[in-house]
Amino acid sequence: MKLIILDRDGVINRDSDAFVKSPEEWVALPGSLEAIARLSQSGWTVAIATNQSGLARGLFDMNTLNAIHAKLHREVAALGGDVDAIFLCPHGPDDGCVCRKPLPGMMHDIARRYDISLAGVPAVGDSLRDLQASAQAGCTPWLVLTGNGEKTRARGGLPANTRICADLAEMVDLLLQDE
């Protein structure tokens, strides 16, 4: 199985300091949905791992989040792609859960779902916490410079062997070249 794990906000869609709170606010980054479609068409299983503390903060409810994700699924499907599963942490930063990135709980859930080791599985994020969760789970962390990626790179402290690329489309180009 060829599995890839993607963060959502800042990797697939525009991020917002005010949170993405509705389907209307969810806007794909240029080339990201086409990149996911190319992955699917090349036999990759695409999973998303996303912190969604807006749920705990009361900024949106699960029905709204499901509507946002339905929009993501529809737009990817219209391009001939598929997102197999979306894993999320609904907790706030101070809730003490094990699933919120930078902890690797969601990554471990993904490994259990697909019954595979995550050793070397590419995991794409735009923040240090995405990369830390990936690295702790044994994934190969990839930093995209969209979303918070530029700031993340500038701050430094990236996990060893983090690969960096401009955006998800470039990352997918590199990944598919290496096959």
Side-chain angles (χ1 to χ4, degrees):
M1 164 184 249
K2 298 186 298 185
L3 175 68
I4 185 168
I5 302 169
L6 308 177
D7 178 49
R8 194 191 81 178
D9 300 331
V11 173
I12 300 171
N13 58 280
R14 290 189 190 136
D15 201 356
S16 169
D17 290 336
F19 296 86
V20 175
K21 301 177 295 301
S22 70
E24 296 74 31
E25 292 178 14
W26 188 90
V27 177
L29 289 167
S32 66
L33 301 181
E34 293 84 355
I36 292 170
R38 288 199 327 271
L39 285 166
S40 297
Q41 292 160 6
S42 297
W44 285 81
T45 298
V46 179
I48 295 173
T50 180
N51 285 350
Q52 290 297 318
S53 68
L55 286 166
R57 298 170 199 260
L59 300 175
F60 50 85
D61 61 19
M62 199 62 201
N63 287 333
T64 301
L65 185 59
N66 287 337
I68 291 168
H69 290 160
K71 180 180 180 182
L72 183 162
H73 281 288
R74 275 192 314 276
E75 291 189 9
V76 169
L79 297 168
D82 180 56
V83 171
D84 189 67
I86 300 176
F87 293 77
L88 64 98
C89 170
H91 306 107
D94 301 320
D95 288 348
C97 67
V98 297
C99 54
R100 184 173 171 78
K101 296 182 275 183
L103 297 175
M106 263 191 289
M107 302 300 181
H108 295 311
D109 289 344
I110 291 169
R112 281 190 292 277
R113 160 81 180 261
Y114 296 106
D115 193 25
I116 63 167
S117 163
L118 294 181
V121 167
V124 185
D126 69 317
S127 69
L128 184 59
R129 68 177 169 252
D130 298 327
L131 305 175
Q132 290 169 328
S134 300
Q136 287 180 64
C139 298
T140 299
W142 288 74
L143 174 66
V144 290
L145 300 179
T146 50
N148 293 306
E150 289 280 1
K151 287 186 250 178
T152 300
R153 178 173 66 175
R155 278 196 288 274
L158 304 179
N161 303 314
T162 297
R163 297 189 62 183
I164 301 172
C165 47
D167 56 19
L168 184 57
E170 181 184 65
M171 183 276 171
V172 169
D173 288 343
L174 293 170
L175 187 68
L176 296 180
Q177 271 178 11
D178 291 345
E179 283 192 304

